[in-house]
Amino acid sequence: MTDLKSAKESRICDTLARLKQEHLLRQEICLESPADSHVILEGKEYLQFASNNYLGLAGNPRLVEAAGKALARYGVGSCGSRLTTGTQTPHRELERALANFKGTEAAVLFNTGYAANSGIIPALCGKGDVIFSDELNHASIIDGCRLSGAITVVYRHNDMKDLEAKVREFHGGNRMVVSDAVFSMDGDVLRLPEMLDIAEKYGLFSMIDEAHSTGVLGKTGHGILEHFGISKFPDLLMGTLSKALGAEGGYVCCSNIMSDFLRNKCRSYIFSTALPAATAAAAREALAIIESEPKRIEKLQDNIAFFLQELGRHGIRPSTASAIFPIIIGDSQKAVDIGKKLKHEGFLISAIRHPSVPQNAARLRITLMATHARPEISQLANALAKNVRK
Ligand SMILES: *Cc1c(COP(=O)(O)O)cnc(C)c1O
């Protein structure tokens, strides 16, 4: 018995030891405050440039109040899946608000963005079908493709010529193209108009993931469609409530028919307890704030332009079109070391390593928020210039 146990454990220990040796062992930090631009960590205050709370809404009093009211009225847990007893008024209201926000007939709420992607893709595609997926798509999309059992054809990053060539080459039953709208580790924007043209020309389902574009792109923060000023819609406009909206959950905006289909066929929708009503109420309040306070989006976009300008003064020119700034370092240990130095100087920044990014493409992933002040952004640019040797 003990021998068996130690054999089991030794395999796990080997894996951990290998990760450590490759500088890929990860450990959590624990914040003692909301996920704001200033956070408390180990009793000390840091200037945070690592959160996806782009509009600073996670700790916003209006969200907290909306959640509190719903908490008092509906209790903590929903204690049922959406199709049994888990649907409460705030879920319905949020779905309506999301559909209105994106301009679609319907919206379907999921517990996380991960659950949305890993559930929607296998609902639409299975054996005999073909999925075309950008090589830098988020892990939740990759997992959805794997779960589906369909053939997944990976095309070169944001390369619509390569996509079209592969669409001409690979045939099957249902065919679908799926992509991040803003790529989560690189910050660049999908060439959506070309992608939608290809999808239309070849009769593919189209799905985009607006995790990092909702609340960020477009003059009023409505996302990638507003950014490009186009009125064509993908079949599935998926996103998360957990980033610029400051709450938790995933969603997909789509037609009524697609909504009915997904509610009946998505396993992650059917076999999981609905979000707490309080979370849904908070997300709905976030949408209302975005609609009524466009200045927040303006401030975020102004911060982005200012940071690029400040970095440029130091000869650092990350390529980005969003609130995500990748500063590519390459070596994992080096990226971690620079992250530590910056922490010592009072900045909280994520060093991103494999498997979140390819091997030898470790980077600092800096994210801006509407609540950062210009002098804070200048300070960070100066610190980066000092610590990142180009
Ligand atoms: C964060 C993220 C997700 C997952 O969303 P969660 O709500 O965190 O589960 C999905 N897609 C992309 C592109 C993301 O960045």
Side-chain angles (χ1 to χ4, degrees):
M1 204 57 195
T2 43
D3 277 358
L4 273 179
K5 176 164 178 269
S6 63
K8 282 196 301 199
E9 278 186 351
S10 79
R11 254 176 256 136
I12 290 174
C13 293
D14 287 351
T15 303
L16 286 172
R18 185 156 25 86
L19 284 173
K20 185 156 191 201
Q21 195 191 352
E22 292 168 356
H23 308 296
L24 294 175
L25 188 68
R26 300 172 65 170
Q27 265 149 348
E28 291 160 10
I29 59 166
C30 178
L31 299 184
E32 295 138 30
S33 67
D36 224 322
S37 56
H38 293 251
V39 291
I40 310 289
L41 175 63
E42 295 145 7
K44 252 186 78 183
E45 184 171 328
Y46 289 89
L47 197 47
Q48 159 158 260
F49 286 93
S51 176
N52 299 319
N53 183 19
Y54 300 120
L55 296 173
L57 292 178
N60 181 282
R62 280 178 61 182
L63 266 74
V64 173
E65 194 192 328
K69 276 192 183 152
L71 193 59
R73 176 149 179 197
Y74 297 97
V76 179
S78 71
C79 297
S81 77
R82 286 294 304 276
L83 294 180
T84 58
T85 55
T87 299
Q88 294 166 307
T89 309
H91 300 103
R92 280 276 167 82
E93 288 174 344
L94 175 58
E95 287 178 332
R96 184 86 322 263
L98 282 163
N100 288 342
F101 187 82
K102 291 289 184 181
T104 55
E105 286 178 354
V108 183
L109 195 56
F110 289 80
N111 291 348
T112 62
Y114 185 92
N117 281 336
S118 60
I120 292 167
I121 297 170
L124 276 164
C125 291
K127 275 205 176 51
D129 299 331
V130 185
I131 303 166
F132 301 93
S133 175
D134 188 288
E135 67 180 326
L136 295 188
N137 274 346
H138 191 262
S140 55
I141 295 179
I142 296 171
D143 290 359
C145 293
R146 286 180 180 155
L147 275 172
S148 74
I151 292 169
T152 301
V153 178
V154 174
Y155 62 89
R156 277 201 297 275
H157 176 52
N158 219 357
D159 183 338
M160 296 301 130
K161 284 216 166 67
D162 190 45
L163 168 63
E164 184 162 13
K166 290 190 159 124
V167 169
R168 284 166 172 277
E169 186 181 345
F170 292 89
H171 297 271
N174 272 341
R175 295 198 297 167
M176 173 178 187
V177 56
V178 56
S179 177
D180 285 15
V182 164
F183 291 86
S184 56
M185 296 300 145
D186 291 70
D188 54 339
V189 176
L190 163 68
R191 294 177 209 282
L192 180 66
E194 290 97 317
M195 185 187 119
L196 289 180
D197 285 346
I198 293 170
E200 190 174 63
K201 184 169 166 191
Y202 296 94
L204 313 177
F205 281 113
S206 52
M207 171 164 173
I208 63 169
D209 176 338
E210 291 223 78
H212 300 281
S213 52
T214 296
V216 177
L217 291 190
K219 199 168 179 313
T220 61
H222 284 238
I224 193 169
L225 295 179
E226 187 187 15
H227 173 79
F228 283 111
I230 54 173
S231 51
K232 242 187 222 176
F233 280 81
D235 298 300
L236 302 132
L237 201 52
M238 173 273 171
T240 72
L241 307 171
S242 56
K243 286 162 183 166
L245 299 180
E248 174 74 43
Y251 62 86
V252 63
C253 295
C254 56
S255 66
N256 282 327
I257 291 174
M258 186 64 82
S259 155
D260 289 347
F261 175 80
L262 294 175
R263 286 178 213 272
N264 281 280
K265 284 292 176 186
C266 271
R267 294 174 66 82
S268 63
Y269 180 83
I270 299 168
F271 297 107
S272 189
T273 296
L275 280 177
T279 308
R284 179 160 169 251
E285 191 64 21
L287 290 174
I289 290 177
I290 291 176
E291 298 281 27
S292 65
E293 297 177 19
K295 279 227 157 11
R296 279 180 185 272
I297 289 112
E298 239 170 73
K299 180 64 165 60
L300 175 64
Q301 293 172 351
D302 181 70
N303 279 350
I304 292 168
F306 181 67
F307 188 41
L308 275 174
Q309 180 191 319
E310 287 293 280
L311 287 174
R313 288 200 304 121
H314 297 292
I316 303 175
R317 296 195 169 75
S319 92
T320 183
S322 66
I324 301 165
F325 292 73
I327 312 278
I328 311 287
I329 305 297
D331 181 65
S332 291
Q333 183 59 44
K334 203 168 157 202
V336 172
D337 287 346
I338 296 173
K340 276 190 191 146
K341 276 190 199 145
L342 289 166
K343 187 177 168 203
H344 193 70
E345 295 178 22
F347 300 98
L348 187 61
I349 281 168
S350 298
I352 308 280
R353 295 167 273 174
H354 185 76
S356 299
V357 295
Q359 296 275 13
N360 303 315
R363 66 198 60 189
L364 305 175
R365 178 182 182 272
I366 293 163
T367 50
L368 290 191
M369 296 170 58
T371 45
H372 285 126
R374 278 193 170 208
E376 295 170 346
I377 293 171
S378 297
Q379 280 171 36
L380 173 65
N382 292 338
L384 284 168
K386 199 174 75 187
N387 288 294
V388 179
R389 259 178 296 277
K390 290 160 284 253

